[in-house]
Amino acid sequence: MRLSESPRSIWARRTTHTAIAGALVLALVATPSADAARTAFAADPGLTSYPTDAFGRPLISNTGQAYLDPKLPVRSRVQDLLSRMTLEEKVGQMTQAERGAVSDDPSLVTAWRLGSVLSGGGSVPTPNTPQAWADMVDRFQAAALQTRLQIPLVYGVDSVHGHGNLLGATVFPHNIGLGSTRDPRLVERIEHVVAEETRATGPQWAFAPCVCVARDTRWGRTYESFAEDPELVTRFASAIEGFQGTRLTDADRVLATAKHYAGDGDTEFDTAAGDYTIDQGVTITNRHDFARIDLAPYQAAVRRHDTGTVMPSFSSVDWTEDGIGNPIKMHANRELITDELKGKLGFDGFVISDWEGIHQIPGDWPTQVRTGVNAGTDMFMEPFSALQFETTLLDEVRAGRVSQARIDDAVRRILAKKFELGLFEKPYTDRTHLAEVGSADHRALAREAVAKSQVLLKNTDGLLPLRKDAKVYVAGRNADDMGNQAGGWTLSWQGASGQHRLPGNTILDGIQQVAPGAQVTYSKDGSAPTAGSDVAVVVVGETPYAEGFGDVGGPEWAFDPEDGGVPREAKSLDLQAVDQAVIDKVCGAIAKCVVLVVSGRPQVIPPAQLSTIDALVASWLPGSQGEGVADVLFGQRPFTGKLSHTWPRSADQEPINIGDRGYDPLYRFGWGLRTTVSR
């Protein structure tokens, strides 16, 4: 987005809802025809007729080119291919477009010589099935292989807690819950499954994991952070191993992305531009603290886990050493991208911009392009402005404002990963694991993760675990809502409420499955009679959001077709009035009361209300397998989770983090009561 734009005004470009994307894209950027694109982009070397496979898709024509010899080292293959490329072909490799910009005319992939295509949140094929995904990616790949040098494209997607855009994929807990497991090996297993489900359906690249260190839970991306503690986040950087494995050529591995580099979780409240309050704001710090808190996970991501790509943050950094008031956008920060990341840390992968990330750099469009490239970003996520980016970058190179050496460095890095992924040998989707998407084994792993992520904050007189034959009164709006328990980045950018939004089990479903002998009464608002109930389980918390629309005090989302034009509730660290009311009603009527908080961050519980709650559980955003919550409620598994983020007494305490002077939260970082398994 450009600096003159409000985050609210660019929602259409940040997500591509299937029902309305077409009209919005046309309104924002008129997509030229393939012929017009070829004319605008420069002289096209011409298309070649290639042999095809049984499905009519072009095959790579190997007539002895060194870059097509898999026996040669990757470095040699890259150098040979680079020596054959025109400037236009190199710039094309540096460009990533959104599927919505090319889906109606895949020949644009050929004409623009695109290096990559992505799916933004909610940008999916019709129907939204594993098979359709694989077919879609292969259709774009076929277009890429119509180019002169037949360089395959790499397809990216936000598989941040599962292949969340895909209906039927296994949806795991968000990172805030995974951090509470204190089990990096479990997370590696999870990301291996995510990689398998992602690559089986076409995409070879995941924009994950987020290794941000969230220091203020008013931030709308807090749930994407494993922890507030940089040491714990650094341990979870091993998630990269789950995505990438030891061989990127394997059909169950994808290229990983460590994001958002760096400091996005450490921005100060009320420093964000436009309608946001903290997301995309300014990290005001000194270099020592920045290295200790914000850079630490990237050192592990690069040096220990060899992440394939890194994505810069939308945020800025303002060094206190030279005075406050001169922040530098991360996408423009040569010191941190080129000197620190690529230089001192030795990162040898490629840097991918965030969605229109350079549009926030001060200056006109040529300045934004020039500054972004010279800062060290290698590939540019220009969803609906790919052609404009390419033509402008060509002008900048020809004018001598961007060097040929900088272009060659970027393209070398991109090509190396494509060779490592084996795309020149197997450009089309390997569907070996297609039938395993959303399989019972994968969902069993998600269930395990859910159970291990639950944090028992309070357990008066050992109320939990519950008896499996108890008379249980279940209430609250998050007890039977798949959309709410999955959160944002699920089928759409912001996610949405809805019981049947995706396959899986709600928490209510899980209670009924795990304790079939229990007598369960369900009443969302607590209006059903409570007489005779042994215990209440009240499930409250947040409704879905993502990024700046999740900021406390930020704008209210009202643009998802599922919302019917009604703005979503204002985001707050305090429980919503409807949640407080159902707790008061039900916990006031039933002697024993358990409250589960389904949320992307801690929620403030007033002292008077807390006194009526016998057991309190941080359930986070568990994803598709709500039975994992029931497992610990009824003692099928023990409670073992520990808080990955400090639970404040009031919103006024934020930001509050372990190690702060005068640290006095309601529940400390690392807090978590344990239970035993019921027999």
Side-chain angles (χ1 to χ4, degrees):
M1 87 180 170
R2 300 189 186 274
L3 290 177
S4 60
E5 290 183 291
S6 154
R8 185 192 301 274
S9 71
I10 54 90
W11 69 271
R13 290 208 299 270
R14 195 66 179 91
T15 181
T16 45
H17 298 294
T18 54
I20 51 180
L24 288 167
V25 170
L26 290 173
L28 288 164
V29 179
T31 302
S33 67
D35 289 340
R38 277 189 280 273
T39 301
F41 187 24
D44 191 298
L47 302 181
T48 305
S49 178
Y50 296 109
T52 59
D53 64 12
F55 302 100
R57 304 174 304 192
L59 297 171
I60 292 179
S61 180
N62 188 339
T63 56
Q65 304 96 315
Y67 73 89
L68 294 179
D69 184 353
K71 296 179 182 178
L72 290 177
V74 167
R75 182 186 296 271
S76 299
R77 299 178 74 182
V78 168
Q79 189 55 42
D80 178 71
L81 178 52
L82 192 68
S83 70
R84 301 169 187 263
M85 296 175 71
T86 65
L87 178 60
E88 290 81 4
E89 288 166 333
K90 292 174 182 177
V91 167
Q93 285 300 300
M94 296 173 66
T95 309
Q96 182 184 66
E98 217 284 331
R99 63 160 290 281
V102 296
S103 58
D104 290 341
D105 185 3
S107 70
L108 293 173
V109 173
T110 315
W112 298 346
R113 307 171 179 88
L114 292 176
S116 181
V117 175
L118 84 148
S119 278
S123 181
V124 301
T126 302
N128 187 3
T129 63
Q131 181 76 36
W133 269 88
D135 291 344
M136 173 189 71
V137 174
D138 284 352
R139 186 164 60 253
F140 293 138
Q141 192 68 279
L145 296 189
Q146 291 286 1
T147 55
R148 182 178 71 95
L149 294 172
Q150 294 192 287
I151 304 174
L153 61 78
V154 58
Y155 199 100
V157 68
D158 285 287
S159 293
V160 296
H161 68 139
H163 187 2
N165 266 342
L166 169 63
L167 181 63
T170 309
V171 179
F172 291 90
H174 271 293
N175 286 353
I176 192 169
L178 296 182
S180 295
T181 68
R182 294 298 201 275
D183 191 346
R185 295 296 182 190
L186 171 65
V187 174
E188 288 179 41
R189 291 166 57 206
I190 288 169
E191 305 304 15
H192 186 186
V193 165
V194 176
E196 180 181 297
E197 295 197 1
T198 299
R199 191 150 187 179
T201 59
Q204 314 95 350
W205 183 10
F207 302 134
C210 184
V211 292
C212 52
V213 184
R215 306 288 285 179
D216 189 328
T217 59
R218 292 172 292 184
W219 185 38
R221 303 194 83 144
T222 296
Y223 64 76
E224 296 187 52
S225 172
F226 288 113
E228 68 186 38
D229 174 49
E231 291 185 10
L232 185 56
V233 175
T234 297
R235 289 176 56 202
F236 280 99
S238 65
I240 293 165
E241 306 281 352
F243 284 115
Q244 295 187 163
T246 57
R247 295 189 310 174
L248 283 171
T249 54
D250 290 345
D252 57 350
R253 301 294 183 176
V254 294
L255 196 64
T257 307
K259 66 180 188 182
H260 304 90
Y261 182 84
D264 56 337
D266 202 10
T267 57
E268 296 207 3
F269 197 78
D270 274 340
T271 61
D275 294 341
Y276 297 172
T277 53
I278 187 168
D279 189 43
Q280 305 184 16
V282 182
T283 304
I284 302 173
T285 187
N286 58 70
R287 285 176 170 81
H288 173 76
D289 286 343
F290 189 79
R292 178 177 60 87
I293 295 172
D294 304 304
L295 278 180
Y298 293 94
Q299 295 176 357
V302 171
R303 292 176 172 172
R304 195 179 310 159
H305 307 299
D306 195 25
T307 183
T309 67
V310 170
M311 181 183 291
S313 171
F314 282 120
S315 61
S316 305
V317 63
D318 193 347
W319 302 121
T320 56
E321 288 94 335
D322 58 5
I324 304 300
N326 53 343
I328 303 171
K329 276 287 180 185
M330 196 59 61
H331 279 81
N333 202 317
R334 180 180 173 86
E335 175 191 349
L336 288 174
I337 296 176
T338 296
D339 299 343
E340 182 71 31
L341 178 65
K342 294 181 174 180
K344 292 180 182 177
L345 295 185
F347 174 61
D348 62 0
F350 68 88
V351 176
I352 170 71
S353 81
D354 207 334
W355 183 285
E356 295 186 346
I358 61 171
H359 294 220
Q360 298 190 20
I361 295 173
D364 59 15
W365 175 236
T367 299
Q368 292 169 337
V369 171
R370 174 173 67 252
T371 303
V373 175
N374 287 337
T377 296
D378 303 304
M379 182 182 284
F380 292 79
M381 192 184 292
E382 290 295 319
F384 301 106
S385 49
L387 180 59
Q388 291 89 329
F389 170 80
E390 291 180 337
T391 55
T392 302
L393 181 52
L394 285 170
D395 289 343
E396 292 298 302
V397 176
R398 289 165 179 156
R401 291 184 289 267
V402 174
S403 71
Q404 182 69 59
R406 171 76 272 269
I407 299 297
D408 286 352
D409 173 64
V411 178
R412 278 193 188 94
R413 292 167 177 271
I414 294 165
L415 293 178
K417 294 306 170 187
K418 291 188 175 185
F419 281 116
E420 290 173 20
L421 282 162
L423 296 179
F424 287 83
E425 287 69 54
K426 288 187 175 182
Y428 297 112
T429 303
D430 184 332
R431 309 187 187 203
T432 302
H433 301 290
L434 201 65
E436 296 170 35
V437 173
S439 68
D441 285 347
H442 292 182
R443 292 183 183 275
L445 179 61
R447 178 177 183 171
E448 176 186 349
V450 172
K452 290 182 175 179
S453 72
Q454 303 298 291
V455 181
L456 182 56
L457 302 175
K458 179 180 181 181
N459 193 25
T460 303
D461 297 328
L463 176 59
L464 295 180
L466 301 174
R467 297 194 331 270
K468 292 184 179 180
D469 61 353
K471 296 177 181 178
V472 184
Y473 188 100
V474 180
R477 60 178 179 162
N478 284 355
D480 196 32
D481 194 304
M482 286 296 299
N484 286 359
Q485 72 184 45
W489 295 108
T490 312
L491 297 184
S492 62
W493 175 35
Q494 294 287 319
S497 301
Q499 178 183 3
H500 303 296
R501 198 156 190 270
L502 62 150
N505 293 307
T506 65
I507 292 172
L508 176 63
D509 293 333
I511 289 172
Q512 293 168 331
Q513 290 180 20
V514 172
Q519 297 181 43
V520 178
T521 299
Y522 170 62
S523 177
K524 182 177 180 179
D525 61 0
S527 60
T530 59
S533 299
D534 298 326
V535 62
V537 176
V538 185
V539 192
V540 297
E542 295 186 300
T543 53
Y545 56 81
E547 298 190 57
F549 288 96
D551 285 358
V552 170
E556 295 177 29
W557 180 256
F559 309 107
D560 195 296
E562 296 178 62
D563 293 331
V566 178
R568 299 187 184 181
E569 63 193 24
K571 299 302 175 286
S572 173
L573 290 190
D574 296 314
L575 284 175
Q576 298 290 330
V578 64
D579 289 334
Q580 293 193 40
V582 73
I583 292 173
D584 287 341
K585 178 185 288 187
V586 176
C587 293
I590 300 175
K592 299 296 183 182
C593 188
V594 181
V595 171
L596 311 180
V597 182
V598 173
S599 65
R601 54 191 160 205
Q603 298 284 276
V604 173
I605 313 292
Q609 197 160 56
L610 184 60
S611 67
T612 70
I613 298 170
D614 298 286
L616 179 65
V617 179
S619 289
W620 308 122
L621 297 171
S624 59
Q625 307 312 126
E627 65 270 34
V629 178
D631 283 339
V632 291
L633 284 180
F634 290 93
Q636 193 82 7
R637 287 180 177 269
F639 274 98
T640 57
K642 298 179 180 179
L643 283 180
S644 54
H645 293 72
T646 297
W647 199 285
R649 295 181 183 277
S650 70
D652 294 339
Q653 284 192 310
E654 287 294 340
I656 181 171
N657 297 285
I658 186 71
D660 287 352
R661 183 176 301 173
Y663 183 73
D664 183 31
L666 183 62
Y667 298 110
R668 299 173 60 87
F669 171 84
W671 175 264
L673 302 173
R674 298 178 70 96
T675 59
T676 57
V677 174
S678 297
R679 298 297 180 188

